[in-house]
Amino acid sequence: MTSDRQNLVHYDAVVVGAGFSGLYMLHRLRDAGYSVRVYEAAPDIGGTWYFNRYPGARCDIESIYYNYTFSEELLNEWTWSSKYAEQHEILRYIHFVADKLNLREDIQLNTKVTSARYDEKSQKWEIELENSSKIIAKYFITGVGALSASNIPNIKGIDSFQGDFYHTGEWPQKKVDFKNKRVGIIGTGSSGIQAIPVIAQEAGHLTVFQRTPQYSSPAHNKPLDSETIRKTKENFKKIRQEMYASMHGIPSAARTRSTVQDSPEERQRVYEEAWQEGGLFSLLYTYSDIPITPEANKTVAEFVRSKIKKIVHDPETAEKLMPEHYYGMKRPILNTNYFETYNRQNVSLVDLRSTPIKEITKTGVRTTEQEYELDILVFATGFDALTGPLLKLNIEGKDGITLKNKWANGVRTYLGISTAGFPNMFMITGPQSPSVLSNVIVSIEQHVDWIMDCLEYLNKHNADTIEANPEFEQMWSQQCQAIADMTLLSKTDSWYMGANIEGKRREFLAFAGGVGPYRQICDDVAAKSYEGFTILSDSQKVETDGNEKIMNRDANLDPQAKFVLEQLKVLGVPPMETLSPQEARSWTSNFSLLAGAPEKVEHVINRTIDGNIPVRIYIPDGDGPFPALVYYHGGGWVIGDLDIVDVPCRRIANQANCVVVSVDYRLAPEHKFPAAIEDAYTAVKWVATYADSIQVDSNRIAVGGDSAGGNLATVVSMMARDKGGPSIVQQVLLYPVTNHGFDTKSYVENADGYFLTRPTMIWFWNHYLRDEQDGINPYASPLLADDLSHLPPALVITAGFDPLRDEGEAYAERLKTAGVPVETTRYDSMIHGFCWMPGAIEQGKRAIDQVASTLKRTFETVRTETL
């Protein structure tokens, strides 16, 4: 640091940016008594709403939800004019807040931060400004926004254009005159789709250079009526809580219904209703599986494409406007007469996919097909999102490591708020937080409030620094990617993935688990004395519950499994034993979302066998006959269906190159013991009898299942032995139920808190059994069987945090004693059910691959022996 460092101005905190983030951070810091200075590069406050003043600029979140929620006084004194506020009205709101809270006196405008460096000796940040002056601060807080680093593509000749040149993200304050001008606009993302209809009304001719066609639905913007405003203000406390607990920070949620549950005609009706309603997430929220499966997504994508065909008169132009990517996996775009604009005589569309830009000339744009002469060229090419604004600050942490170098091989943060190696630095809505996937003001307030609580905690403990731990940072970054991989988000080129920036690493840059679950996770971290952070005082570690070597068993719980438990808690899944069986089954669709995206299998056939047993048959690519796995889903014999195990069944079929027959047996209490085992045994006999019809080799049939399904697989193996067939070559038992008892060590250790609980297991058994006598029947409790000899080889997988762990392992030992070959694996850090959560839990995918590997080995051995 500089030799005259003592003469520099010192603050408790420096905040970069005077948009929504910086203003609320300033308000909270100042109210808490901190000395603080906000630096803003622009001539005035407003952040993105200062710069994004292009024609048609408007918020895509309904105005009544797009405002601060921390102050009822602010809420009651401000009234929005329309459903979706225009840029100038949002900027007026920001000025209203700044004046109301008297914030301007602590904001320095026209001041660009050019670098920030952490000094380990003083444990302070040195912030350098554009005029070379330097400021010292204990806390360095970035409020630069996710969309503030404008992106102008590197196109040959771009500096040679002699007409007027604009970027939508850096629009001039004075009105741009398009009257009778030849205007070109490059880009049809959100800003382009908003600007194009407005510019077209004034321009002599508008040429749209489209890089990627986009899905867009009508906003149906309208003035807000007094009754809507009154009801919103009266009920805002309730609305605010709904926003806080929601997926995207608005008081709405996706239906739990999947696309396959409705007929094509009913889906069309649902989509049409959402289209007419308008709203950023209206279409996306129609069905729960739209973000998850290509098949579901295709239905809504085709609906929007059909709308484009109807709106755009010229078939050739309509065809150019047809998007091909997954719907809603880029940020949904609202529009006002966007597609209708292409019916104007003064508008033409150039599809850059077929005729790319070769160069920009002095007079216009030259594509591979022709040159377009222009007076004005507008770039609506978006931003270097999320990371770009932070990297522009030239931030340097401990050991001289820059943020740019640290993130060169992948972004790593903890909670999207902090990053290891950069003590006392906080990012408001940083990468790997909900930020751009949410109503950002809700996310801003949550981050600012969390940061303030953290600073108060540090003061209380006389702490000097707080820094993210690398291992927690690594876990969080992996979790963010894993959640995205559960959906189609990471399968789509978008600015969420950095795909719009040449040379930028492809990775999902936000947290896609939802605003509500994310808030709960952050609150839990704080409640555990900022678990995952190192807190130091005079270079000594502050002794807190969250940073000590945790001695309880939770320290060994896999972070991804822990996250799943937290998500289920936030979803408000009630204890199973408090529900009726019908109510419990309604939650099944929530669980299936944890499985992730299904793999493509060559043939998937749904049919009913033996009169009333539904099965789903997965047949891999290739020539049969194939070996087969007959699989029974879990769910305590009371809940569960074919969908909940669809993803693991598909993966096993592909990895083991076998046919998988998934069986939907009768459920209790409508059909008590022994109905389920009767269906299970009937199914395996059917596969053996009709093997040829489903390309199965009847000499290579295995059975398997998870939990109660594992119980059925053990019983079917015994029944096949006792009743003379069919021959079974392998049993796959995933954390199986093997005994009607609740007194093992694992029941004591894992009675509650790890997904499957002791009360729930009692509830399952009570519904399944007819009476207590059934509980000692070996076909209900196979662990109690007198004879386990001559059964098929078994793979037994258990989970460390599972009440069923010990009885599964005890059954494996009984099999070994009886001379049955057994392979056992305990996944120590896992919870019950992890094998059907491979989209959320990496070890679930690993366990499924272990199942496939074991089956493949067994099938090959049997095939060799029978040759």
Side-chain angles (χ1 to χ4, degrees):
M1 287 212 171
T2 56
S3 56
D4 58 343
R5 185 177 176 282
Q6 64 274 14
N7 297 321
L8 299 179
V9 177
H10 290 243
Y11 292 102
D12 293 325
V14 158
V15 179
V16 185
F20 277 109
S21 297
L23 294 181
Y24 185 47
M25 190 78 250
L26 168 60
H27 171 65
R28 288 297 315 273
L29 283 165
R30 201 172 61 179
D31 267 17
Y34 291 85
S35 61
V36 56
R37 193 71 169 167
V38 176
Y39 293 101
E40 171 56 58
D44 206 345
I45 64 173
T48 190
W49 292 111
Y50 175 85
F51 288 107
N52 284 265
R53 54 180 72 235
Y54 57 85
R58 189 183 294 273
C59 186
D60 57 10
I61 299 291
E62 290 190 44
S63 305
I64 53 177
Y65 310 130
Y66 194 76
N67 38 235
Y68 289 120
T69 68
F70 69 88
S71 168
E72 288 197 38
E73 185 179 358
L74 290 177
L75 176 73
N76 291 325
E77 290 187 19
W78 180 267
T79 298
W80 296 104
S81 65
S82 62
K83 185 177 179 181
Y84 298 101
E86 291 185 79
Q87 174 269 339
H88 63 83
E89 187 174 13
I90 298 171
L91 193 58
R92 280 206 316 272
Y93 173 75
I94 293 171
H95 282 266
F96 157 74
V97 172
D99 293 338
K100 183 74 178 177
L101 302 178
N102 193 29
L103 299 177
R104 295 180 189 274
E105 63 186 42
D106 293 307
I107 302 171
Q108 188 167 316
L109 302 171
N110 290 305
T111 305
K112 182 178 180 181
V113 171
T114 55
S115 69
R117 186 170 74 90
Y118 183 73
D119 180 69
E120 294 180 62
K121 184 176 180 181
S122 66
Q123 298 179 323
K124 298 289 176 65
W125 282 91
E126 183 181 276
I127 297 99
E128 185 167 351
L129 309 179
E130 196 170 26
N131 62 5
S132 298
S133 63
K134 295 178 181 178
I135 308 297
I136 304 299
K138 181 175 184 179
Y139 301 111
F140 178 59
I141 304 171
T142 64
V144 291
L147 302 174
S148 60
S150 298
N151 169 50
I152 298 178
N154 184 22
I155 302 174
K156 180 183 177 182
I158 195 168
D159 295 328
S160 65
F161 183 65
Q162 294 182 349
D164 293 328
F165 177 99
Y166 304 102
H167 189 286
T168 51
E170 298 175 359
W171 204 260
Q173 290 198 56
K174 65 172 185 169
K175 185 183 184 307
V176 175
D177 183 10
F178 295 107
K179 190 173 182 181
N180 298 323
K181 300 289 179 65
R182 297 167 300 177
V183 183
I185 183 167
I186 300 175
T188 54
S190 182
S191 59
I193 283 176
Q194 288 185 335
I196 285 166
V198 180
I199 295 173
Q201 293 176 22
E202 187 179 346
H205 189 88
L206 174 63
T207 304
V208 178
F209 297 93
Q210 174 186 261
R211 299 186 299 171
T212 305
Q214 302 288 350
Y215 298 102
S216 182
S217 56
H220 296 305
N221 191 39
K222 59 184 178 182
L224 283 175
D225 60 88
S226 57
E227 183 64 11
T228 298
I229 294 168
R230 183 187 65 80
K231 286 183 177 179
T232 301
K233 290 184 177 182
E234 284 182 358
N235 298 298
F236 202 77
K237 284 184 179 179
K238 179 177 180 294
I239 292 171
R240 178 170 55 200
Q241 291 308 309
E242 292 173 354
M243 290 162 68
Y244 287 177
S246 70
M247 184 69 181
H248 294 108
I250 59 174
S252 302
R255 298 196 307 162
T256 57
R257 197 168 181 81
S258 68
T259 52
V260 296
Q261 291 177 282
D262 281 346
S263 66
E265 294 77 18
E266 176 63 12
R267 283 201 303 268
Q268 184 74 11
R269 187 197 66 76
V270 170
Y271 289 149
E272 183 63 37
E273 189 177 280
W275 180 270
Q276 296 303 328
E277 176 189 342
L280 192 63
F281 302 109
S282 292
L283 280 169
L284 195 62
Y285 280 177
T286 51
Y287 294 102
S288 62
D289 53 347
I290 285 175
I292 306 295
T293 69
E295 294 83 2
N297 196 278
K298 183 180 179 181
T299 64
V300 68
E302 287 180 344
F303 172 82
V304 177
R305 286 194 286 263
S306 73
K307 287 292 187 181
I308 297 171
K309 287 180 183 178
K310 289 179 182 177
I311 295 170
V312 179
H313 298 161
D314 177 50
E316 185 178 340
T317 301
E319 190 60 34
K320 291 178 181 178
L321 289 165
M322 292 296 162
E324 298 175 353
H325 53 275
Y326 293 120
Y327 175 81
M329 300 301 100
K330 299 185 178 189
R331 187 173 175 91
I333 301 174
L334 297 181
N335 77 82
T336 300
N337 298 323
Y338 171 66
F339 294 113
E340 290 85 347
T341 297
Y342 292 99
N343 296 328
R344 297 176 62 99
Q345 293 298 311
N346 70 327
V347 176
S348 56
L349 176 66
V350 178
D351 184 1
L352 298 182
R353 295 172 299 174
S354 57
T355 58
I357 294 175
K358 287 187 67 176
E359 64 177 329
I360 294 176
T361 67
K362 292 180 180 180
T363 57
V365 173
R366 180 181 294 134
T367 70
T368 55
E369 186 177 64
Q370 70 177 82
E371 181 169 352
Y372 299 85
E373 292 191 351
L374 304 170
D375 302 307
I376 298 174
L377 182 57
V378 175
F379 276 83
T381 48
F383 303 90
D384 182 357
L386 290 145
T387 56
L390 291 163
L391 297 182
K392 285 175 67 176
L393 295 177
N394 300 311
I395 303 170
E396 182 181 310
K398 289 161 51 177
D399 302 318
I401 300 297
T402 65
L403 194 61
K404 183 177 181 179
N405 286 339
K406 177 180 177 177
W407 287 354
N409 295 317
V411 173
R412 297 193 306 280
T413 76
Y414 185 37
L415 306 178
I417 295 176
S418 181
T419 187
F422 295 77
N424 289 0
M425 171 179 151
F426 299 96
M427 299 173 288
I428 303 174
T429 64
Q432 299 177 339
S433 75
S435 60
V436 294
L437 298 180
S438 70
N439 173 0
V440 74
I441 298 183
V442 171
S443 292
I444 285 168
E445 288 186 313
Q446 184 262 330
H447 264 195
V448 170
D449 292 342
W450 190 94
I451 291 168
M452 285 307 305
D453 289 344
C454 179
L455 297 188
E456 291 304 297
Y457 180 90
L458 298 178
N459 283 342
K460 179 181 176 181
H461 290 83
N462 298 312
D464 295 311
T465 65
I466 182 170
E467 179 185 352
N469 294 340
E471 60 271 23
F472 277 79
E473 174 182 80
Q474 182 70 14
M475 176 275 292
W476 180 254
S477 299
Q478 289 175 347
Q479 187 64 61
C480 287
Q481 189 62 49
I483 295 169
D485 288 344
M486 291 167 61
T487 72
L488 301 173
L489 284 165
S490 61
K491 287 83 175 172
T492 305
D493 278 344
S494 68
W495 54 263
Y496 296 155
M497 293 286 294
N500 64 321
I501 304 298
E502 185 178 350
K504 190 169 182 177
R505 180 185 174 90
R506 297 294 189 270
E507 57 184 322
F508 196 76
L509 293 169
F511 174 83
V515 166
Y518 176 81
R519 180 183 293 270
Q520 182 65 55
I521 292 166
C522 290
D523 288 349
D524 286 349
V525 168
K528 294 174 182 175
S529 303
Y530 297 90
E531 180 184 28
F533 289 91
T534 296
I535 299 174
L536 299 176
S537 177
D538 294 329
S539 299
Q540 298 297 315
K541 191 172 183 179
V542 175
E543 293 300 324
T544 69
D545 295 339
N547 291 293
E548 294 172 357
K549 285 289 183 183
I550 304 171
M551 300 306 294
N552 60 34
R553 296 187 66 245
D554 281 6
N556 298 317
L557 183 62
D558 179 84
Q560 291 182 324
K562 180 179 178 183
F563 174 75
V564 165
L565 296 174
E566 289 166 341
Q567 273 197 312
L568 292 174
K569 186 193 305 179
V570 171
L571 283 171
V573 179
M576 195 78 70
E577 62 275 12
T578 67
L579 304 175
S580 69
Q582 292 75 20
E583 290 171 332
R585 289 167 195 160
S586 70
W587 284 98
T588 302
S589 61
N590 290 301
F591 299 149
S592 64
L593 295 178
L594 298 169
E599 297 180 8
K600 176 177 171 50
V601 177
E602 188 65 19
H603 302 288
V604 180
I605 304 166
N606 290 297
R607 65 185 299 177
T608 300
I609 64 171
D610 205 54
N612 62 355
I613 304 174
V615 297
R616 185 171 295 166
I617 305 169
Y618 304 85
I619 305 175
D621 188 23
D623 298 322
F626 299 97
L629 169 68
V630 182
Y631 192 87
Y632 310 109
H633 66 75
W637 311 281
V638 177
I639 63 172
D641 54 29
L642 299 178
D643 290 336
I644 203 169
V645 292
D646 180 66
V647 168
C649 284
R650 286 170 179 266
R651 188 169 182 86
I652 291 170
N654 286 334
Q655 296 290 321
N657 196 37
C658 72
V659 170
V660 176
V661 180
S662 183
V663 182
D664 203 11
Y665 51 88
R666 285 174 290 172
L667 296 177
E670 296 89 342
H671 306 283
K672 289 181 176 288
F673 176 84
I677 61 170
E678 290 171 351
D679 288 356
Y681 185 50
T682 297
V684 79
K685 288 194 297 179
W686 181 89
V687 171
T689 303
Y690 297 98
D692 290 346
S693 69
I694 55 173
Q695 302 183 55
V696 165
D697 176 0
S698 61
N699 293 314
R700 293 188 291 163
I701 297 175
V703 294
D706 59 280
S707 193
N711 171 279
L712 297 180
T714 68
V715 174
V716 166
S717 297
M718 288 193 286
M719 293 175 77
R721 177 198 64 182
D722 298 344
K723 298 176 184 290
S727 175
I728 296 173
V729 300
Q730 177 80 47
Q731 49 182 327
V732 174
L733 313 177
L734 308 178
Y735 30 82
V737 182
T738 65
N739 190 26
H740 180 226
F742 316 101
D743 56 357
T744 62
K745 182 181 179 183
S746 60
Y747 260 108
V748 174
E749 292 177 344
N750 308 304
D752 194 18
Y754 301 112
F755 186 58
L756 179 66
T757 68
R758 187 176 188 274
T760 299
M761 206 57 226
I762 293 171
W763 183 82
F764 282 141
W765 276 110
N766 287 342
H767 281 305
Y768 181 50
L769 302 179
R770 295 167 300 188
D771 51 42
E772 285 299 308
Q773 205 58 28
D774 281 343
I776 60 174
N777 187 321
Y779 282 179
S781 297
L783 187 61
L784 304 182
D786 293 331
D787 181 12
L788 293 179
S789 63
H790 306 296
L791 291 176
L795 168 64
V796 181
I797 288 177
T798 59
F801 291 83
D802 183 357
L804 304 183
R805 181 194 68 209
D806 291 353
E807 64 189 72
E809 292 174 0
Y811 187 71
E813 290 303 313
R814 285 281 322 275
L815 288 173
K816 289 178 185 178
T817 302
V820 177
V822 179
E823 175 188 350
T824 59
T825 303
R826 179 196 289 184
Y827 285 77
D828 284 308
S829 62
M830 284 296 104
I831 58 175
H832 185 84
F834 76 100
C835 290
W836 50 258
M837 305 178 189
I841 299 177
E842 184 64 30
Q843 289 196 58
K845 187 182 296 181
R846 195 179 309 160
I848 293 301
D849 289 349
Q850 181 185 355
V851 168
S853 177
T854 297
L855 286 171
K856 196 169 186 178
R857 187 169 60 248
T858 298
F859 291 147
E860 182 59 29
T861 299
V862 174
R863 188 186 72 85
T864 301
E865 290 173 350
T866 56
L867 288 177

